[in-house]
């Protein structure tokens, strides 16, 4: 069981697999006013940076579930490196339907809401693990600027304009699902560049090291088109943020 190989090639050197920087995760940890020993569940925990740094800085305990073998291994390594291996646990598994035995104070899905089949399903799934008065964190893209055509949406890596909402509508959708937005931290261009541009050097290094790999031709074509695609579309049209929600 694993995620498509393209991600473990292009994002192999990423600690954070979304447009958040370490500073943004630090801000988020601070503004949530996390109490020591708060249990945090993270579905699609990637390389574990959020849980590991919050365990170090706020003494939370965490459980991360991620379907990438590589990212899960990196998360465990990061926990050792930051001296929090006794506070955080990472499971390599498909998080679809994952519910904890013990309820958590914070239940998160940051940049992986397909795990619950979209925002509504992910809220429903996370709520099953959450204490009353607990906080749900959803990391999700939104349109900074609504694309004028479906081709522009596709250029942004979306299937259709309808994949995402503009920010007021996204916030409205949380309200419609019975949740109150109690905090949010939004990514900026610098974060998008760190997420996207950092893939290019990683990809180039991979190509140099694997010239005869079956995947090399495809990866070469990807790297050739990616910077221009990114600055033309994603960087112009897509926003991204983490939204902290509590049931009304
Ligand atoms: N939240 C992390 C990672 C976001 S990228 C961060 O902030 O860095 C999306 C993650 O979802 C990837 O790590 C990918 O491996 C994981 N993923 C994709 N499908 C999944 C599934 N069905 N179950 C668990 N993890 C999944």
């Amino acid at each position: 069981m694993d995620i498509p190989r393209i991600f473990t090639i292009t994002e192999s050197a990423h600690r954070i697999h979304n447009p958040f920087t370490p500073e943004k995760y630090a801000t988020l940890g601070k503004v949530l006013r996390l109490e020591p020993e708060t249990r945090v569940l993270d579905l699609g925990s990637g390389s574990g940076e959020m849980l590991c740094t919050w365990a170090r800085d706020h003494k939370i305990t965490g459980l991360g579930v991620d379907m990438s073998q590589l990212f899960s291994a990196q998360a465990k390594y990061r926990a050792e490196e930051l001296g929090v291996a006794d506070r955080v646990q990472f499971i390599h598994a498909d998080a679809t339907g994952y519910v904890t035995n013990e309820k958590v104070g914070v239940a998160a899905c940051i940049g992986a809401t397909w795990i619950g089949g979209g925002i509504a399903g992910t809220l429903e799934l996370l709520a099953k693990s959450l204490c009353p008065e607990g906080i749900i964190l959803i990391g999700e893209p939104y349109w900074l600027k609504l694309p004028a055509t479906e081709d522009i949406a596709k250029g942004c890596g979306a299937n259709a304009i309808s994949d995402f909402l503009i920010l007021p509508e996204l916030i409205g959708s949380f309200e419609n699902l019975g949740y109150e937005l109690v905090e949010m931290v939004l990514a900026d261009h610098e974060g998008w560049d760190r997420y996207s541009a950092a893939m290019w050097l990683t990809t180039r290094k991979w190509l140099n090291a694997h010239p005869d790999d079956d995947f090399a031709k495809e990866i070469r074509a990807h790297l050739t088109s990616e910077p221009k695609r990114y600055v033309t579309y994603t960087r112009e049209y897509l926003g991204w943020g983490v939204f902290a929600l509590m049931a009304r």
Side-chain angles (χ1 to χ4, degrees):
M1 178 199 16
D2 217 323
I3 60 171
R5 195 172 170 216
I6 179 99
F7 299 112
T8 49
I9 293 172
T10 57
E11 297 186 32
S12 64
H14 282 53
R15 276 201 181 130
I16 298 173
H17 305 270
N18 66 52
F20 253 21
T21 56
E23 292 76 21
K24 293 281 179 182
Y25 264 135
T27 300
L28 182 62
K30 242 182 271 165
V31 299
L32 292 175
R33 304 173 211 168
L34 297 164
E35 303 277 346
E37 308 308 325
T38 301
R39 274 194 296 276
V40 182
L41 170 69
D42 191 8
L43 301 185
S45 45
S47 299
E49 193 67 4
M50 181 180 87
L51 289 182
C52 291
T53 53
W54 288 2
R56 178 193 63 194
D57 300 339
H58 302 286
K59 305 282 175 277
I60 57 112
T61 66
L63 172 63
V65 183
D66 198 279
M67 206 160 86
S68 161
Q69 202 162 351
L70 175 70
F71 298 165
S72 305
Q74 288 180 165
K76 286 181 191 163
Y77 179 78
R78 187 67 173 148
E80 296 283 345
E81 191 176 51
L82 296 187
V84 295
D86 56 336
R87 308 196 73 87
V88 292
Q89 190 194 348
F90 292 99
I91 301 173
H92 172 228
D94 184 342
T96 309
Y98 192 92
V99 177
T100 53
N101 296 326
E102 259 185 297
K103 300 273 190 222
V104 301
V106 177
C109 183
I110 312 291
T113 50
W114 56 84
I115 287 173
I119 293 176
T122 299
L123 285 171
E124 215 172 291
L125 173 61
L126 293 172
K128 290 182 185 161
S129 298
L130 198 67
C131 300
E133 295 301 300
I135 291 181
I136 290 184
L137 300 178
I138 295 283
E140 188 72 4
Y142 57 89
W143 295 121
L144 276 179
K145 207 160 69 179
L146 198 65
T149 65
E150 292 292 341
D151 280 348
I152 294 175
K154 289 198 172 76
C156 295
N159 290 310
I161 298 173
S162 61
D163 278 11
F164 305 125
L165 300 170
I166 56 170
L167 189 54
E169 283 174 3
L170 179 60
I171 288 172
S173 77
F174 296 137
E175 283 166 14
N176 294 340
L177 291 163
Y179 284 87
E180 189 146 60
L181 183 65
V182 295
E183 252 295 357
M184 69 175 189
V185 178
L186 302 181
D188 54 21
H189 270 141
E190 173 57 17
W192 272 107
D193 292 349
R194 288 307 85 239
Y195 177 49
S196 300
M199 293 182 203
W200 309 335
L201 183 58
T202 304
T203 306
R204 175 58 192 261
K205 283 176 180 282
W206 183 90
L207 279 168
N208 288 354
H210 302 87
D212 302 322
D213 193 284
D214 287 347
F215 210 22
K217 210 170 148 205
E218 204 176 310
I219 293 289
R220 175 70 258 168
H222 177 76
L223 178 58
T224 303
S225 59
E226 197 49 22
K228 196 160 170 212
R229 184 206 65 77
Y230 167 66
V231 299
T232 310
Y233 297 109
T234 306
R235 197 175 195 277
E236 286 301 300
Y237 287 90
L238 269 187
W240 196 89
V242 177
F243 302 91
L245 303 162
M246 292 176 82
R248 257 180 214 286

